[in-house]
């Protein structure tokens, strides 16, 4: 490169026009001084662009260059990383799950402007992509974990150009601030955790195609008990009635350490009679009403639940049309999930 052909001009620092750019970075923040946007999945680089790439990334081998650390090529196997150079660390993901609903529903925003931050030397760095790239923004994240301010900017970039009306509750749906009263009621009714309302994060689940159908929308709420089991609870967006809950091992949302799996425990699987009795007992306590059972079906194949080992699904149908599915551990008859099936 020192004695060979040189590019006619410096490489562009913005990829919007051509899809190609070399983004200068602070090496102490990103562990590299330059990041390349390479539209290899869309078109071939020109000879001039190859020279600009060689000059800007001199000393980096071709094998290294085609990795998320140095470039976005559209060739990464993990589709979740196509909008960024690395996946979130576990600690970042835990805090992201707490900050996201505050951003979406409580108007919490980063203090710095998104695009000013991208060019003032602070991490993370955000790059506007061409319109045909499938994503409006690419995020170049720092080597170290991001703090809350940086994560808020990251969320801001993810939602760049998204109309807030696509994720805010509709008229007639439960507002974010109204969730505590509904959650407290369902926690008590279904015996979740220790019965108190813990810290939680909530996201309104809307239709995948962006259309809004209130009778199909739900609030998905992760209850973050500090020491007990964790639950993901689904509430009807209009009534607040519980549609399902899923139980997870203690510490899933509060610790970097995943608890030891119960699969290693030495215990004989419970009989189908015991599984049926456990699910009926829970259901009779949690769901009031006339208990005229028309059918009980235990699924033949077990499913594996991390922290609780092998488990079985039990379907219970009542004569009045109500249907429920419960998952119960074969080890100790722990009820792991509860789903209200549509009649």
């Amino acid at each position: 490169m020192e004695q060979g052909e040189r590019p006619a001009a410096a490489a562009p620092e913005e990829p919007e026009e051509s899809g190609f750019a070399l983004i200068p970075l602070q090496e102490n923040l990103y562990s590299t001084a330059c990041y390349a946007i390479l539209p290899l999945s869309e078109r071939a680089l020109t000879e001039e662009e190859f020279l600009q790439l060689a000059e800007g990334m001199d000393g980096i081998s071709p094998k290294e260059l085609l990795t998320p650390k140095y470039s976005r090529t559209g060739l990464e196997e993990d589709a979740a990383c196509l909008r960024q150079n690395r996946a979130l660390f576990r600690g970042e993901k835990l805090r992201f799950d707490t900050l996201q609903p505050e951003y979406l529903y409580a108007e919490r925003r980063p203090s710095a402007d998104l695009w000013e931050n991208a060019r003032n030397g602070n991490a993370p760095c955000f790059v506007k992509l061409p319109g045909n790239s499938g994503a409006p923004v690419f995020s170049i994240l720092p080597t170290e974990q991001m703090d809350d301010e940086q994560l808020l900017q990251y969320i801001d970039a993810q939602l760049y150009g998204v109309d807030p009306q696509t994720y805010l509750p509709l008229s007639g749906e439960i507002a974010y601030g109204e969730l505590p009263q509904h959650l407290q009621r369902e926690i008590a009714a279904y015996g979740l955790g220790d019965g108190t309302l813990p810290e939680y994060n909530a996201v309104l689940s809307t239709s995948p195609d962006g259309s809004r159908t209130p009778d199909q929308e739900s609030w998905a709420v992760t209850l973050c008990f500090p020491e007990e089991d964790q639950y993901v609870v689904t509430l009807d967006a209009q009534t607040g009635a519980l549609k399902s809950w899923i139980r997870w091992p203690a510490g899933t949302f509060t610790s970097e350490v995943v608890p030891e799996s119960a699969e290693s425990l030495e215990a004989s699987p419970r009989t189908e009679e015991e599984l049926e009795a456990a699910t009926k007992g829970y259901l009779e306590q949690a769901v009031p009403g006339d208990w005229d059972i028309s059918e009980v079906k235990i699924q033949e194949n077990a499913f594996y639940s991390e922290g609780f080992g092998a488990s079985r699904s039990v379907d219970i149908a009542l004569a009045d049309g109500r249907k429920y599915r419960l998952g119960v551990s074969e080890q100790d008859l722990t009820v792991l999930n509860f789903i209200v099936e549509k009649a």
Side-chain angles (χ1 to χ4, degrees):
M1 187 66 193
E2 293 181 0
Q3 298 179 350
E5 186 177 353
R6 314 291 295 190
E13 294 185 8
E14 300 288 348
E16 279 189 287
E17 183 175 339
S18 67
F20 169 74
L22 297 181
I23 315 299
L25 299 172
Q26 291 191 17
E27 191 164 6
N28 63 319
L29 289 176
Y30 302 92
S31 76
T32 180
C34 193
Y35 193 85
I37 304 294
L38 306 177
L40 299 183
S41 60
E42 300 153 12
R43 66 172 178 83
L45 294 178
T46 66
E47 185 174 325
E48 172 68 8
E49 288 170 336
F50 270 119
L51 288 172
Q52 291 171 338
L53 178 64
E55 183 178 57
M57 310 297 279
D58 189 27
I60 300 174
S61 70
K63 183 177 181 180
E64 287 181 299
L65 181 61
L66 297 180
T67 62
K69 177 179 178 180
Y70 294 107
S71 69
R72 181 269 181 183
T73 66
L75 301 177
E76 294 92 351
E77 293 181 1
D78 185 358
C81 292
L82 290 180
R83 292 188 179 187
Q84 60 203 54
N85 64 318
R86 66 165 174 83
L88 294 182
F89 297 124
R90 178 175 168 80
E92 291 174 324
K93 183 65 171 63
L94 295 175
R95 288 183 290 114
F96 174 90
D97 289 344
T98 300
L99 290 169
Q100 185 185 41
E102 294 183 15
Y103 182 100
L104 294 176
Y105 313 115
E107 299 185 353
R108 182 172 178 179
R109 294 293 184 269
S111 59
D113 176 79
L114 181 67
W115 302 111
E116 285 184 5
N117 184 71
R119 291 293 180 249
N120 67 5
N122 290 331
C125 177
F126 304 112
V127 182
K128 291 182 181 178
L129 296 176
N132 63 351
S133 64
V137 178
F138 184 79
S139 304
I140 306 174
L141 307 182
T143 304
E144 302 297 329
Q145 290 203 34
M146 293 180 286
D147 58 26
D148 285 359
E149 169 68 13
Q150 293 168 338
L151 280 171
L152 284 169
Q153 292 176 349
Y154 173 75
I155 296 172
D156 210 17
Q158 283 198 323
L159 296 172
Y160 175 72
V162 176
D163 184 351
Q165 296 307 312
T166 62
Y167 55 75
L168 291 174
L170 299 172
S171 176
E173 293 184 330
I174 295 169
Y176 179 71
E178 297 173 328
L179 285 174
Q181 58 184 309
H182 296 282
L183 288 170
Q184 186 63 72
R185 181 190 67 228
E186 302 304 329
I187 285 172
Y190 290 91
L192 307 186
D194 60 7
T196 62
L197 180 61
E199 292 185 7
Y200 64 87
N201 56 71
V203 177
L204 182 65
S205 299
T206 58
S207 303
D209 61 1
S211 62
R212 301 300 300 272
T213 309
D215 62 349
Q216 297 180 9
E217 297 186 353
S218 306
W219 279 102
V221 184
T222 302
L223 301 175
C224 305
F225 290 96
E227 296 178 355
E228 303 299 327
D229 295 318
Q230 314 299 315
Y231 296 81
V232 177
V233 177
T234 303
L235 303 180
D236 184 279
Q238 293 182 301
T239 66
L242 184 139
K243 298 170 70 174
S244 68
W245 61 257
I246 300 174
R247 185 179 187 177
W248 298 92
T252 299
F253 302 98
T254 59
S255 172
E256 295 287 337
V257 180
V258 177
E260 184 180 355
S261 170
E263 187 179 38
S264 62
L265 298 177
E266 293 184 4
S268 300
R270 300 303 181 99
T271 66
E272 290 196 349
E273 288 76 14
E274 290 176 306
L275 296 175
E276 181 176 331
T279 54
K280 283 182 179 179
Y282 174 80
L283 199 55
E284 290 174 355
Q285 290 182 16
V287 181
D290 181 19
W291 277 89
D292 185 3
I293 297 177
S294 61
E295 183 182 22
V296 177
K297 183 179 180 180
I298 300 177
Q299 298 298 316
E300 182 177 350
N301 296 326
F303 65 90
Y304 173 74
S305 179
E306 185 176 21
F308 296 101
S311 306
R312 300 277 288 280
S313 292
V314 181
D315 294 324
I316 299 180
L318 305 185
D320 61 8
R322 289 180 291 169
K323 296 180 180 180
Y324 305 93
R325 169 169 285 192
L326 294 86
V328 59
S329 169
E330 290 186 338
Q331 298 281 352
D332 59 6
L333 301 180
T334 297
V335 177
L336 304 176
N337 57 61
F338 175 90
I339 301 171
V340 179
E341 300 277 8
K342 288 189 177 182

